[in-house]
Amino acid sequence: LGKNNAKVTMIEFSDFECPFCKRYFDETLSQIIKEYVETGKVKLYYRHFPLDFHPAALPSALASDCANEQGKFWEYHDKIFTEQNKISGKTADVIIAQLKTWAQELGLDTSRFDTCLDSKKYQANVDADLSDGKNAGVSGTPTFFINGKRIVGAQPFAAFKALIDQELQ
């Protein structure tokens, strides 16, 4: 998300079922987008880091990549975090049904989406993100790298602003 030539690159390793990732989404992400992404200063990358103890994390990661295939990653990302309570701690069949419902609500080609999700088409992408995160020292979510400098946890906007502004100088 953002302009390719942005001076600052921000990489987020996240888990769609993580309550701290949701707090970051609810309290901080929109401010970063408004102040830095929309002004062309920051390019934001979302990387998957599904934690084993979150049953909805992996299916949600796969579903978001299926939505991305149809150009709707960020809309789907926002839907998952906004309505996280509908999948958090639920059984696999409830999770999958909800992920497919959201695809329909966002106007995706549901036949294509369902086939993509059911086949776990993007499993290798999610595995690569997880491996890259582990290799970079990520052990929990959310973890961020701003031009390579790490911030761990759902920090307040001020913590991101301080580091981003430093990198913009």
Side-chain angles (χ1 to χ4, degrees), residues 26-158:
D26 289 340
E27 298 175 5
T28 309
L29 178 61
S30 62
Q31 291 175 277
I32 291 171
I33 290 172
K34 184 178 179 196
E35 191 162 328
Y36 296 107
V37 176
E38 290 176 356
T39 58
K41 297 173 184 170
V42 169
K43 182 160 187 176
L44 179 62
Y45 290 90
Y46 183 97
R47 304 282 308 266
H48 300 295
F49 203 83
L51 300 169
D52 293 341
F53 54 88
H54 287 150
L58 178 58
S60 297
L62 296 169
S64 71
D65 280 355
C66 292
N68 186 54
E69 185 177 88
Q70 297 185 44
K72 296 248 180 153
F73 173 82
W74 288 103
E75 294 91 334
Y76 200 86
H77 163 280
D78 293 356
K79 188 75 165 169
I80 295 172
F81 278 120
T82 301
E83 300 186 36
Q84 186 189 68
N85 63 312
K86 292 183 178 177
I87 57 169
S88 186
K90 305 289 193 256
T91 59
D93 56 333
V94 170
I95 293 164
I96 297 299
Q98 185 61 60
L99 293 170
K100 290 179 178 181
T101 297
W102 287 333
Q104 185 177 16
E105 289 173 4
L106 291 173
L108 296 174
D109 174 334
T110 53
S111 174
R112 191 170 147 207
F113 178 89
D114 293 356
T115 299
C116 177
L117 182 58
D118 292 341
S119 70
K120 297 185 166 104
K121 182 176 180 179
Y122 291 101
Q123 183 71 52
N125 292 19
V126 175
D127 291 344
D129 281 0
L130 197 55
S131 176
D132 289 350
K134 287 177 181 173
N135 289 337
V138 175
S139 60
T141 55
T143 297
F144 306 87
F145 293 93
I146 297 173
N147 281 359
K149 296 182 174 124
R150 183 168 38 189
I151 293 183
V152 179
Q155 300 291 328
F157 175 70

Side-chain angles (χ1 to χ4, degrees), residues 14-27 51 53-54 81 84 88 141-142 154:
S14 188
D15 169 325
F16 281 114
E17 194 176 353
C18 160
F20 301 104
C21 300
K22 178 169 174 43
R23 184 186 314 154
Y24 161 78
F25 171 81
D26 289 340
E27 298 175 5
L51 300 169
F53 54 88
H54 287 150
F81 278 120
Q84 186 189 68
S88 186
T141 55

